[in-house]
Structure formats: structure tokens, C-alpha cells
Amino acid sequence: MDDRALIARVLAGDSGAERLLYDQHVDGVYRLAYRMTGDDDLAREYTQETFIRTFERLDQFRGDAALSTWIRAIAGTVVLNGLRKVKRFRQREVELEEGVAHAATARRAEPDLKVKLEQAIEDLPAKYRMVFVMHDVEGYTHEEIGAALGMPVGTSKAQLFRARARLREALSDFAGEWAS
Amino acid sequence: MSDDRFEDFLREAAERYHVPPEVPREDMWLAIAEARRHSVPRSRRPGWRSWGIGIAAALAIGVGIGRLSVLFNEDPSVAATPAGEPSEIPVAYRVAASEHLGQVEVFLTGFRADARTGGPVTDAAPDARRLLATTRLLMDSPVANDLVLQDLLEDVELVLIQIAQYDARPGRGEFEFIDESIDQRSVLFRLHSAIDADAAGMPYQGAL
């Protein structure tokens, strides 16, 4: 069933079509949310929010792009907004509990490539991280990223370039790992 | 070391970054169905027009209270309060400002989401103009005594002006311009902070 027919059935109140739409797109949304958060609860929350908004606004889908692109765009917005809230919350937690900051420092003192890479990716600005995860981890094209995040293809490429440059700098202690 | 080698290394290493578990489809579907059962249809939510009227009314009351306070205030110590102290802002103005900033936050978040997802943003301009009018009222009120809040209102004013003039036609590229304005000045973050601080009974400056 193509997107247009599926949407028509959903808008007509066909609950089977709702489930079909969900099944067709949920994996990609959850994977992206999990890659961005590393947290099952948050990934579930963002995925659920994405589909709630999708169903709520489906009557506004104009069909200019594929349905998958439109849903990814909603997911991108939900995840980025959600991460901002989480970041603010965590910043406050760290400010309140000095011990957390000490623990984080201690972790950074044990340079293991995997840990360092994860930390470096997490330290990227949310938008850079989103582009990096979508392109280098989930295999999206720049055209798909641009459509999903509402940015020109050139911006997507530039943000990926900057993200990689930051990671390269953060991982400079491990240069031998890829130079050899 | 070559760029290609680093990119290959990075791509390989990144595949192990936050590897997702099996997708909990059923659990999430049940949660979505439950949430949708309790959600209010968009068509039944209050529009910007009614919010705008409410805020304007709150401001009008604030202006009235402020003028009465000046007329009947015989305590010279009030006038001696240092300029820029949030506590100096009369409660009615503070309530109106907090409510207004909340509406701006919701509006900007919704506008961005709609613009990014291809939703209807053509009706954003009238809403932006209404919010702009209230923003300017606040900028001319005692709220402006808080310099940080005044700075936030000026940035909000700039973004709302851009949205009021927004042309949604393809290829105009105006949304990126607005989006950058919001990001570069951290407008949404500062709105959140100001609202959160007010809700917690803290002065605006403590959160900004």
C-alpha cells in the first residue's frame, strides 16, 4: 500500500492502517532516538511523542516529501527538544551535586578509546551529533538529513564535517589506532 | 594519518555507539494508544487569539495596579529600591510577563516544529504580531527594570518581527534565518529558564 492510500485509510479512522503506519516507521524512529540518547526510557518517550504528533497532524501532511521523511522530521524535532530539556536538567543536577562532577572527572581520567569516543560524541552540540548519528551511524544521506532536520544539504555536510573535526581533535591521543 | 582512514575508523567505531536493543513495539503502541485516548483534539485547544486577549487583559490590570501604587504609595523606601532588582517588578507585571513568555515559548516551539515538518505556518504572522504587541508593552513597563529580562524581550521582539514578516514560499530560505536567530541568541533556552525561575519563585536573573 502506498503512502497516499495508507494516509487516507488512517484519516478515515481505520485502526488497522494506523498500526500498519506505525509498524512501517517505528524501527527507524526508535533507533534514531536510542542512538541519540543511549537510554531506553527516553527513546521510548521520544518515539511515542513522535507518533502521537504524527497521527495528530497527519491531516496536514501535504505529500511534498515521502511520509518517512515527514515522520523523521517530527522525530528530529522531538529528540532535539527533548535533549535540550534533559541537558538542562542534568546541568542543574551537576550543579547541585558536586560529587557527580568528580565522578565524571574520574571517568575521563581512564582513557579507553571506546569510552573516549562515546564521551566525544556526547559532547558534540546536539545538532552536530544528530547529523553525525544520522549519517555515519544510521546511514542516512545528506538529502534525507536535510529534509528531516529542515536544513539545506550543504548545512548538513558542513555540520558533519565540523562534527568529525571535533571528534578527531578529541581522539587525537589515539591517532595510532587509525593511522596504522 | 589520512582523513579517509580516520573517517573509516570513525564510522566503524561509531556503529558501536548506543547500539539499540530490540524495538519495544507493543509497549510503545499501547502507550501511544493510551495517550491518544486522553488527548485533546487540536481544534478544541485555545487559539492564540484567546491567549493574546488574556495576556493583554493581565497587562492592563498590571498597568492599572502600577499606576494606583504610584498614586497611593507613601513609602519612600520603595522608590529607593535599586534599579534592576526583579523584586522591584510589581506582581501583576511579573505574572503577565511570565504568562507572556510562556506563550511565546509555546508559539516559537510550535512554529519551528510546523516549519520543519511542513505544517501550516502561513497563519503564524498574525499570532506573531499579537505577541509582538504584548512584548513591546512589556518592554515599556516596569518589567524592563530587570536588564536581563529586557535583553530577552528584545531578542524575542526580533524573532517575532521576523516571523511576522515570514514568507513561507519555497526557496525563500527565511525559516533558516529565523531558526538561526532563535539558536544564536538561545532564545528558547532563556525563555525556559525565565519561566522555570519564575515558577520556582526565584528572580529571573538567578536563572539567566
mmCIF file of all heavy atoms in Angstrom, chain A residues 60-82:
data_model
loop_
_atom_site.group_PDB
_atom_site.id
_atom_site.type_symbol
_atom_site.label_atom_id
_atom_site.label_comp_id
_atom_site.label_asym_id
_atom_site.label_seq_id
_atom_site.Cartn_x
_atom_site.Cartn_y
_atom_site.Cartn_z
ATOM 1 N N GLN A 60 -2.433 17.259 7.967
ATOM 2 C CA GLN A 60 -1.700 18.400 7.408
ATOM 3 C C GLN A 60 -0.560 17.963 6.490
ATOM 4 O O GLN A 60 0.139 18.803 5.933
ATOM 5 C CB GLN A 60 -1.108 19.236 8.545
ATOM 6 C CG GLN A 60 -2.165 19.857 9.431
ATOM 7 C CD GLN A 60 -1.583 20.318 10.753
ATOM 8 O OE1 GLN A 60 -0.378 20.433 10.909
ATOM 9 N NE2 GLN A 60 -2.446 20.570 11.717
ATOM 10 N N PHE A 61 -0.354 16.662 6.386
ATOM 11 C CA PHE A 61 0.725 16.166 5.523
ATOM 12 C C PHE A 61 0.355 16.461 4.073
ATOM 13 O O PHE A 61 -0.679 16.010 3.585
ATOM 14 C CB PHE A 61 0.913 14.663 5.751
ATOM 15 C CG PHE A 61 1.929 14.039 4.827
ATOM 16 C CD1 PHE A 61 3.269 14.401 4.911
ATOM 17 C CD2 PHE A 61 1.547 13.104 3.880
ATOM 18 C CE1 PHE A 61 4.208 13.824 4.068
ATOM 19 C CE2 PHE A 61 2.472 12.526 3.032
ATOM 20 C CZ PHE A 61 3.807 12.884 3.133
ATOM 21 N N ARG A 62 1.252 17.215 3.394
ATOM 22 C CA ARG A 62 0.907 17.667 2.051
ATOM 23 C C ARG A 62 1.413 16.742 0.953
ATOM 24 O O ARG A 62 1.087 16.914 -0.205
ATOM 25 C CB ARG A 62 1.496 19.070 1.826
ATOM 26 C CG ARG A 62 0.862 20.118 2.726
ATOM 27 C CD ARG A 62 1.517 21.458 2.545
ATOM 28 N NE ARG A 62 2.960 21.399 2.856
ATOM 29 C CZ ARG A 62 3.723 22.468 3.025
ATOM 30 N NH1 ARG A 62 3.208 23.661 2.895
ATOM 31 N NH2 ARG A 62 5.009 22.346 3.304
ATOM 32 N N GLY A 63 2.260 15.806 1.320
ATOM 33 C CA GLY A 63 2.763 14.871 0.326
ATOM 34 C C GLY A 63 3.890 15.427 -0.521
ATOM 35 O O GLY A 63 4.234 14.838 -1.550
ATOM 36 N N ASP A 64 4.479 16.556 -0.117
ATOM 37 C CA ASP A 64 5.608 17.110 -0.877
ATOM 38 C C ASP A 64 6.831 16.189 -0.781
ATOM 39 O O ASP A 64 7.635 16.125 -1.700
ATOM 40 C CB ASP A 64 6.011 18.492 -0.324
ATOM 41 C CG ASP A 64 4.880 19.498 -0.465
ATOM 42 O OD1 ASP A 64 3.981 19.226 -1.287
ATOM 43 O OD2 ASP A 64 4.890 20.520 0.233
ATOM 44 N N ALA A 65 6.955 15.543 0.353
ATOM 45 C CA ALA A 65 8.065 14.602 0.559
ATOM 46 C C ALA A 65 7.457 13.253 0.940
ATOM 47 O O ALA A 65 6.243 13.140 1.111
ATOM 48 C CB ALA A 65 8.962 15.104 1.686
ATOM 49 N N ALA A 66 8.317 12.240 1.051
ATOM 50 C CA ALA A 66 7.827 10.920 1.458
ATOM 51 C C ALA A 66 7.336 10.987 2.907
ATOM 52 O O ALA A 66 7.822 11.815 3.693
ATOM 53 C CB ALA A 66 8.951 9.903 1.346
ATOM 54 N N LEU A 67 6.398 10.118 3.227
ATOM 55 C CA LEU A 67 5.880 10.083 4.596
ATOM 56 C C LEU A 67 7.019 9.810 5.589
ATOM 57 O O LEU A 67 7.059 10.381 6.678
ATOM 58 C CB LEU A 67 4.795 9.006 4.707
ATOM 59 C CG LEU A 67 4.147 8.845 6.077
ATOM 60 C CD1 LEU A 67 3.445 10.128 6.524
ATOM 61 C CD2 LEU A 67 3.147 7.678 6.057
ATOM 62 N N SER A 68 7.944 8.939 5.190
ATOM 63 C CA SER A 68 9.055 8.607 6.096
ATOM 64 C C SER A 68 9.878 9.855 6.423
ATOM 65 O O SER A 68 10.319 10.042 7.557
ATOM 66 C CB SER A 68 9.946 7.532 5.472
ATOM 67 O OG SER A 68 10.449 7.977 4.231
ATOM 68 N N THR A 69 10.082 10.716 5.426
ATOM 69 C CA THR A 69 10.844 11.950 5.646
ATOM 70 C C THR A 69 10.104 12.862 6.624
ATOM 71 O O THR A 69 10.711 13.466 7.526
ATOM 72 C CB THR A 69 11.044 12.693 4.305
ATOM 73 O OG1 THR A 69 11.679 11.797 3.397
ATOM 74 C CG2 THR A 69 11.885 13.945 4.478
ATOM 75 N N TRP A 70 8.807 12.947 6.437
ATOM 76 C CA TRP A 70 7.986 13.799 7.302
ATOM 77 C C TRP A 70 8.033 13.298 8.746
ATOM 78 O O TRP A 70 8.183 14.073 9.698
ATOM 79 C CB TRP A 70 6.552 13.796 6.763
ATOM 80 C CG TRP A 70 5.625 14.779 7.396
ATOM 81 C CD1 TRP A 70 5.666 16.138 7.299
ATOM 82 C CD2 TRP A 70 4.484 14.463 8.215
ATOM 83 N NE1 TRP A 70 4.622 16.689 8.004
ATOM 84 C CE2 TRP A 70 3.884 15.692 8.568
ATOM 85 C CE3 TRP A 70 3.918 13.274 8.671
ATOM 86 C CZ2 TRP A 70 2.748 15.748 9.362
ATOM 87 C CZ3 TRP A 70 2.791 13.333 9.462
ATOM 88 C CH2 TRP A 70 2.215 14.561 9.801
ATOM 89 N N ILE A 71 7.929 11.972 8.907
ATOM 90 C CA ILE A 71 7.960 11.405 10.264
ATOM 91 C C ILE A 71 9.346 11.605 10.889
ATOM 92 O O ILE A 71 9.461 11.929 12.073
ATOM 93 C CB ILE A 71 7.559 9.908 10.242
ATOM 94 C CG1 ILE A 71 6.088 9.787 9.844
ATOM 95 C CG2 ILE A 71 7.805 9.249 11.593
ATOM 96 C CD1 ILE A 71 5.597 8.369 9.642
ATOM 97 N N ARG A 72 10.390 11.447 10.080
ATOM 98 C CA ARG A 72 11.744 11.683 10.603
ATOM 99 C C ARG A 72 11.908 13.132 11.046
ATOM 100 O O ARG A 72 12.624 13.423 12.001
ATOM 101 C CB ARG A 72 12.788 11.376 9.525
ATOM 102 C CG ARG A 72 13.108 9.919 9.382
ATOM 103 C CD ARG A 72 14.112 9.758 8.271
ATOM 104 N NE ARG A 72 14.146 8.401 7.786
ATOM 105 C CZ ARG A 72 14.544 8.059 6.575
ATOM 106 N NH1 ARG A 72 14.927 8.984 5.713
ATOM 107 N NH2 ARG A 72 14.567 6.802 6.213
ATOM 108 N N ALA A 73 11.291 14.036 10.301
ATOM 109 C CA ALA A 73 11.381 15.456 10.670
ATOM 110 C C ALA A 73 10.740 15.680 12.032
ATOM 111 O O ALA A 73 11.276 16.407 12.884
ATOM 112 C CB ALA A 73 10.706 16.317 9.618
ATOM 113 N N ILE A 74 9.595 15.052 12.249
ATOM 114 C CA ILE A 74 8.939 15.173 13.560
ATOM 115 C C ILE A 74 9.838 14.560 14.631
ATOM 116 O O ILE A 74 10.058 15.147 15.694
ATOM 117 C CB ILE A 74 7.556 14.483 13.546
ATOM 118 C CG1 ILE A 74 6.627 15.197 12.548
ATOM 119 C CG2 ILE A 74 6.937 14.479 14.940
ATOM 120 C CD1 ILE A 74 5.295 14.502 12.349
ATOM 121 N N ALA A 75 10.396 13.384 14.319
ATOM 122 C CA ALA A 75 11.264 12.709 15.293
ATOM 123 C C ALA A 75 12.470 13.587 15.626
ATOM 124 O O ALA A 75 12.860 13.711 16.795
ATOM 125 C CB ALA A 75 11.728 11.364 14.741
ATOM 126 N N GLY A 76 13.049 14.198 14.604
ATOM 127 C CA GLY A 76 14.213 15.068 14.827
ATOM 128 C C GLY A 76 13.883 16.205 15.771
ATOM 129 O O GLY A 76 14.646 16.502 16.695
ATOM 130 N N THR A 77 12.732 16.825 15.549
ATOM 131 C CA THR A 77 12.314 17.936 16.412
ATOM 132 C C THR A 77 12.085 17.451 17.838
ATOM 133 O O THR A 77 12.533 18.076 18.805
ATOM 134 C CB THR A 77 11.014 18.559 15.865
ATOM 135 O OG1 THR A 77 11.236 18.954 14.517
ATOM 136 C CG2 THR A 77 10.586 19.764 16.687
ATOM 137 N N VAL A 78 11.377 16.343 17.958
ATOM 138 C CA VAL A 78 11.062 15.808 19.289
ATOM 139 C C VAL A 78 12.355 15.460 20.038
ATOM 140 O O VAL A 78 12.519 15.820 21.214
ATOM 141 C CB VAL A 78 10.153 14.560 19.172
ATOM 142 C CG1 VAL A 78 10.061 13.817 20.495
ATOM 143 C CG2 VAL A 78 8.762 14.958 18.692
ATOM 144 N N VAL A 79 13.263 14.796 19.360
ATOM 145 C CA VAL A 79 14.501 14.363 20.028
ATOM 146 C C VAL A 79 15.358 15.569 20.421
ATOM 147 O O VAL A 79 15.840 15.653 21.555
ATOM 148 C CB VAL A 79 15.297 13.392 19.121
ATOM 149 C CG1 VAL A 79 16.680 13.114 19.705
ATOM 150 C CG2 VAL A 79 14.536 12.079 18.947
ATOM 151 N N LEU A 80 15.532 16.509 19.493
ATOM 152 C CA LEU A 80 16.380 17.666 19.808
ATOM 153 C C LEU A 80 15.795 18.497 20.948
ATOM 154 O O LEU A 80 16.518 18.920 21.851
ATOM 155 C CB LEU A 80 16.579 18.535 18.559
ATOM 156 C CG LEU A 80 17.539 17.967 17.504
ATOM 157 C CD1 LEU A 80 17.552 18.833 16.255
ATOM 158 C CD2 LEU A 80 18.955 17.844 18.063
ATOM 159 N N ASN A 81 14.481 18.709 20.904
ATOM 160 C CA ASN A 81 13.845 19.457 22.002
ATOM 161 C C ASN A 81 13.977 18.697 23.312
ATOM 162 O O ASN A 81 14.246 19.280 24.365
ATOM 163 C CB ASN A 81 12.370 19.712 21.696
ATOM 164 C CG ASN A 81 12.182 20.820 20.674
ATOM 165 O OD1 ASN A 81 13.095 21.589 20.429
ATOM 166 N ND2 ASN A 81 11.020 20.885 20.070
ATOM 167 N N GLY A 82 13.759 17.386 23.235
ATOM 168 C CA GLY A 82 13.848 16.559 24.439
ATOM 169 C C GLY A 82 15.250 16.589 25.030
ATOM 170 O O GLY A 82 15.425 16.694 26.240
#
